[in-house]
């Protein structure tokens, strides 16, 4: 086991609570500090999770000398500013998905991490789940032959709230950045390169953001991805990878899956089960610890260039849909 990593949680909303719950099962992690815009929220969070250092501003949190890594758990539109703040203060950063709201912002934080020589990673936690690691292993071993087609969907039904982060353009609202990022990143993981054809259709709803979208991506060599996302319609949330020799299925919800099935023509399907140790968010934190303890500034499993590439794909889709955020 490496050195214990001291975490600082930036923001006290829904995902901050889930991630902190995941962190607490790890032997090499301690939740040392929390920072909120309001001291009261930091105090409440600290009481709930037994966190020693509690700060009433993000600036105070990133200046805490007892913190090694900042976990950014704010709305998408704030990821850039919060990541820059933490990196400039000399902290490593794990930044919630989507990495930022567009490619330009992603490039900016990556450039800052490189300039400051600090670790940075997008919290694309699905990629680190043991069931997804198993799927990657089957692909690498050639068990499904050449991957040709990825099918994945992530749709859920939320009530419209013009001011909330899911529907407000000012927060980078819409299904694409919130859940479309999972299916696009999943296809990117399978094909390991940028798509050379990107096309999609979206319904922009009354608040101006995409409520439902279908996307078709083409990769060099002929691989394809057929993807969908929604924030007003619940869909199955399954991912399948079809290869020349067989198929891998990550059942619903694939984004937090605990099992993977390998189906090869003429053979009985093989299902492997991997119960989470906590809630699934712990595996990405293990990767952060392994990288930091190994002196690595980025993850090989979720590389920075790939996070930028995923943002670029989403920029292209939004360009086709005429969806721009106020800061753009
Ligand atoms: N990995 C996942 O499974 C997962 C799931 C959900 C969300 N996420 C990502 O995590 C991020 C946060 O999502 P969430 O669902 O946790 O959101 P949330 O419940 O609304 O929490 C966001 C937190 O950000 C802080 N914040 C700072 N400025 C804010 C502002 N102007 N408006 C609202 N909140 C502000 C607040 O914390 P303080 O008041 O303490 O400062 C707030 O509690 C999003 O980017 C989302 O995509 C990831």
């Amino acid at each position: 086991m490496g050195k214990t990593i001291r975490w600082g949680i930036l923001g006290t909303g829904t995902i901050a609570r889930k991630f902190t719950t995941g962190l607490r099962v790890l032997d090499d992690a301690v939740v040392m500090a929390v920072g909120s815009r309001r001291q009261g929220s930091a105090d409440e969070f600290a009481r709930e999770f037994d966190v020693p250092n509690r700060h009433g501003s993000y600036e105070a949190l990133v200046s805490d000398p007892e913190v090694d890594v900042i976990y950014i758990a704010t709305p998408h539109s704030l990821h850039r500013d919060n990541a820059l703040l933490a990196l400039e203060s000399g902290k490593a950063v794990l930044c919630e998905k989507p990495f930022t709201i567009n490619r330009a912002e992603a490039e900016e934080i990556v450039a800052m991490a490189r300039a400051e020589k600090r670790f940075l990673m997008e919290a694309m936690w699905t990629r680190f789940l043991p069931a997804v690691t198993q799927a990657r292993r089957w692909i690498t071993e050639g068990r499904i032959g050449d991957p040709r087609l990825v099918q994945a969907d992530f749709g859920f039904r939320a009530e419209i709230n013009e001011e909330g982060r899911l529907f407000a353009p000012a927060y980078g609202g819409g299904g694409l950045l919130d859940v479309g990022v999972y299916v696009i990143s999943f296809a990117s993981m399978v094909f390991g390169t940028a798509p050379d054809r990107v096309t999609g259709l979206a319904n922009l709803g009354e608040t101006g953001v995409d409520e439902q979208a279908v996307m078709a991506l083409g990769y060099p060599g002929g691989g394809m991805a057929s993807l969908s996302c929604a924030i007003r319609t619940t869909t199955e949330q399954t991912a399948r990878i079809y290869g020349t020799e067989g198929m891998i299925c990550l059942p619903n919800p694939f984004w937090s899956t605990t099992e993977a099935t390998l189906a090869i023509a003429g053979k009985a399907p093989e299902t492997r089960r991997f119960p989470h140790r906590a809630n699934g968010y712990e595996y990405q934190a293990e990767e952060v610890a392994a990288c930091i303890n190994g002196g690595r500034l980025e993850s090989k499993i979720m590389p920075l260039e790939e996070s930028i590439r995923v943002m670029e794909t989403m920029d292209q889709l939004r360009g086709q849909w005429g969806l721009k955020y106020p800061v753009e």
Side-chain angles (χ1 to χ4, degrees):
M1 200 177 82
K3 171 171 104 51
T4 296
I5 301 295
R6 301 169 303 174
W7 288 83
I9 310 295
L10 191 149
T12 57
T14 312
I15 194 61
R17 289 187 144 73
K18 290 187 186 166
F19 178 70
T20 304
T21 302
L23 269 185
R24 296 205 302 176
V25 301
L26 300 181
D27 295 328
D28 57 359
V30 58
V31 185
M32 184 56 83
V34 59
S36 170
R37 293 167 298 170
R38 290 188 308 114
Q39 186 65 49
S41 300
D43 291 341
E44 193 186 322
F45 188 98
R47 268 195 303 277
E48 188 178 334
F49 293 100
D50 199 16
V51 182
N53 304 354
R54 40 203 74 178
H55 302 285
S57 74
Y58 298 157
E59 288 75 12
L61 172 72
V62 301
S63 307
D64 186 331
E66 294 186 307
V67 168
D68 302 309
V69 188
I70 300 289
Y71 166 65
I72 294 174
T74 52
H76 321 332
S77 53
L78 300 170
H79 292 177
R80 167 194 172 274
D81 287 359
N82 298 155
L84 291 177
L85 178 72
L87 291 164
E88 278 167 347
S89 305
K91 303 300 189 198
V93 169
L94 174 65
C95 181
E96 258 312 330
K97 45 57 59 176
F99 208 26
T100 51
I101 63 162
N102 58 31
R103 178 189 177 125
E105 287 192 356
E107 283 178 333
E108 224 179 316
I109 63 173
V110 167
M112 178 63 76
R114 290 188 173 141
E116 296 288 333
K117 298 194 171 41
R118 296 292 159 196
F119 176 85
L120 172 65
M121 188 177 95
E122 179 187 3
M124 182 39 76
W125 62 296
T126 300
R127 207 171 265 216
F128 301 94
L129 299 172
V132 176
T133 305
Q134 177 63 65
R136 272 203 307 279
R137 196 173 304 125
W138 280 331
I139 294 171
T140 310
E141 291 168 357
R143 302 287 289 278
I144 60 164
D146 189 15
R148 303 304 296 158
L149 177 66
V150 167
Q151 283 179 344
D153 66 288
F154 192 161
F156 68 101
R157 182 165 175 84
E159 292 313 312
I160 297 177
N161 166 6
E162 289 174 10
E163 275 138 43
R165 68 167 191 82
L166 273 183
F167 289 92
Y171 283 134
L176 179 67
L177 263 57
D178 198 62
V179 286
V181 65
Y182 283 94
V183 291
I184 292 172
S185 187
F186 186 82
S188 172
M189 177 189 83
V190 171
F191 293 114
T193 185
D196 54 8
R197 286 157 295 161
V198 172
T199 182
L201 296 175
N203 282 348
L204 304 188
E206 62 194 60
T207 66
V209 302
D210 59 298
E211 293 187 351
Q212 169 165 312
V214 293
M215 298 154 287
L217 309 183
Y219 291 84
M224 288 184 181
S226 167
L227 312 170
S228 67
C229 62
I231 52 172
R232 292 284 289 151
T233 313
T234 300
T235 66
E236 194 184 47
Q237 304 175 13
T238 294
R240 293 187 180 84
I241 307 162
Y242 297 93
T244 49
E245 312 292 331
M247 187 266 282
I248 295 169
C249 178
L250 300 167
N252 69 323
F254 83 89
W255 44 271
S256 70
T257 187
T258 53
E259 65 179 65
T261 297
L262 173 68
I264 295 172
K267 292 188 181 167
E270 176 187 346
T271 296
R272 305 274 313 267
R273 293 190 174 79
F274 305 87
H276 297 328
R277 272 156 63 200
N279 54 10
Y281 296 99
E282 60 275 26
Y283 304 106
Q284 62 181 347
E286 281 184 324
E287 170 72 356
V288 173
C291 289
I292 291 177
N293 281 325
R296 295 191 293 280
L297 296 180
E298 69 179 291
S299 164
K300 288 196 174 114
I301 300 170
M302 186 67 258
L304 294 169
E305 287 306 326
E306 192 177 349
S307 291
I308 292 175
R309 195 159 83 208
V310 168
M311 291 313 311
E312 163 67 30
T313 302
M314 296 199 291
D315 283 359
Q316 288 184 32
L317 288 163
R318 287 196 300 115
Q320 292 172 20
W321 305 340
L323 173 52
K324 265 193 166 200
Y325 295 118
V327 295
E328 295 182 303

